[in-house]
Amino acid sequence: MASEKGIKLLDFWVSPFGQRARIALAEKGVEYEHKEENLLAEKSELLLKSNPVHKKIPVLIHDGKPVCESLIIVQYIDEVWPDKAPLLPSDPYQRAQARFWADFVDKKVFECGGRLWKLKGEEQEAAKKEMIEILQILEAQLGDKKYFGGDTFGFVDVAFVPLTSWFYSCETCANFSVEAVAPKIVLWVQRCMERESVAKTLSDPKKVYEYVRFLKKRFRIE
Amino acid sequence: MAGSGTSDVKLLGAWASPYVVRARIALNLKEVQYEFLEEQFGTKSELLLKSNPIYKKIPVLIHDEKPVCESMIIVQYIDDVWINSGPALMPADAYDRALQRFWTVYVDDKFVPSLFGIMRSPTEEAKAEAKEQALASLQLLEEAFGKISKGKPFFGGDTIGYLDIALGSFLGWMKAFEEMNGFKLLDDTKTPLLCAWADNFCNNEVVGAVIPETAKLVELAKVMQARYKSAPPAN
């Protein structure tokens, strides 16, 4: 694997984590080879070799060297291609805030969202309550800013926006409305979708829902 | 933003928390003067609740009244602000940084839960499983050390860096568990590189000053274990 030049991204079409990397690469105007892994079948040798610890996508392979974990990949991309579309602010305090909120999104949104569509009854209600709280916290953090990063699209925006394709699935499975609890977030999503990097990358929420229904059948959650 | 002499730096913490140790090591390496505000075990001060409303947890670094939360975010912040003081905590090369970040996440997500699983496990069986997972994690970290240190004493090379701080801050608790359970987590035959690294780390004067004493941690662990045993079973 050592001295193969170029950039490869190991990905899975619906993965919001892979989409973080794709948005970052697009913002920076970086050319790369996109390799779709079929996670529903066997993992490729390249994936197993590039991420032996977790065997997960996304993996960015730069000149033969693998970088794993989506937010680490985004930071790497930001550092290697610093001249265009900087994603992390230059001020240390603002950087710390950006890292904190991206980490919050990581810890809270996907996991809680997963419980929303996987569980039923009381457990689902509990997850719904939690998700509403999480969205309200993020709504407050966004406030009246154009992006989480302020006037410029940044690290937290990249971290969060791919997860918003899953809102429709959460709303449908758990019967609630994101717009009702976090209208500013919904408008922020629309603004992000005006960016080519985001529009070309995010999955159609209806396709995500089809995928969620497929998973539910496969794991007999119905 | 000025040097350590003119800015106001406070750290909310507790002596036994390895996450707080991380922040203290970073501050000490950078020779930053700071006020350590000890939280009392079992309670949360108003300042903590105000400074970290999301998680209500220590450590919190308060720099010129502005709070920074999450231990490794604090470490990166310290490295970014006090850039001209002490060693760089992050390597210069972007790929090396990505590697140290990866293994730091691994420490937090995989190693630490299995380590504390040893104390928290209700049955001997669960305890044995936690121990196996902790040992397996350390084996991977041993291999990572071989690649990342490039023959030098620390993950960071000649000086203590980001990943050293992330993992090394848990050495106090690791020694406590070894003593309490009569087994070795770091072993000369299985993890010789990490054994040498642990010695170098703990013998560093800046670190030695803040890593809690094994005997005190053992005492605390016994108190905490009694609490876990007497607490009603989690559903």
Side-chain angles (χ1 to χ4, degrees), chain B residues 10-11 53 62 67 99 104-105 118 128 139 142-143 146 148 158 162 184-185 188 206-207 219 231-232:
Chain B
K10 294 184 170 67
L11 182 72
I62 307 179
L99 276 185
T104 295
V105 169
I118 295 170
Q139 208 55 58
E142 168 86 2
E143 281 169 38
I148 294 173
D158 288 313
Y162 186 76
K184 290 227 149 263
L185 287 165
D188 275 336
V206 151
V207 169
E219 233 178 88

Side-chain angles (χ1 to χ4, degrees), chain A residues 20 71 98-110 130 133-138 141 163, chain B residues 54-55 70 73:
Chain A
R20 287 168 168 176
L71 290 183
R99 288 186 168 122
F100 176 88
W101 287 105
D103 178 65
F104 176 85
V105 166
D106 243 10
K107 285 210 244 288
K108 300 283 188 181
V109 180
F110 193 69
E130 228 180 283
E133 269 173 44
I134 290 167
L135 288 170
Q136 287 173 333
I137 290 172
L138 288 164
Q141 182 55 29
L163 296 169
Chain B
I54 302 287
Y55 301 117
E70 296 296 291
I73 293 177

Side-chain angles (χ1 to χ4, degrees), chain A residues 177-189:
Chain A
S177 157
V178 172
E179 186 159 14
V181 305
K184 290 181 178 168
I185 297 277
V186 170
L187 291 171
W188 162 79
V189 174

Side-chain angles (χ1 to χ4, degrees), chain A residues 51 53-54 65-69 72 75-76 79-80 91-97 99-101 103-105 107-108 137, chain B residues 1 52 54-55 63 66-70 73 76-77 80-81 93-95 97-99 101-103 105-106 109-110 140:
Chain A
N51 191 357
V53 176
H54 303 300
K65 296 192 294 188
V67 183
C68 307
E69 297 293 301
I72 294 176
Q75 284 182 88
Y76 176 81
E79 287 168 11
V80 172
D91 172 72
Y93 186 72
Q94 296 307 323
R95 288 161 83 83
Q97 291 302 298
R99 288 186 168 122
F100 176 88
W101 287 105
D103 178 65
F104 176 85
V105 166
K107 285 210 244 288
K108 300 283 188 181
I137 290 172
Chain B
M1 210 148 45
N52 190 356
I54 302 287
Y55 301 117
H63 183 200
K66 296 189 298 187
V68 182
C69 307
E70 296 296 291
I73 293 177
Q76 283 188 96
Y77 175 78
D80 284 345
V81 171
D93 176 73
Y95 189 74
R97 282 202 289 281
L99 276 185
R101 285 178 177 138
F102 175 86
W103 287 107
V105 169
Y106 182 83
D109 289 355
K110 302 285 180 192
L140 284 184

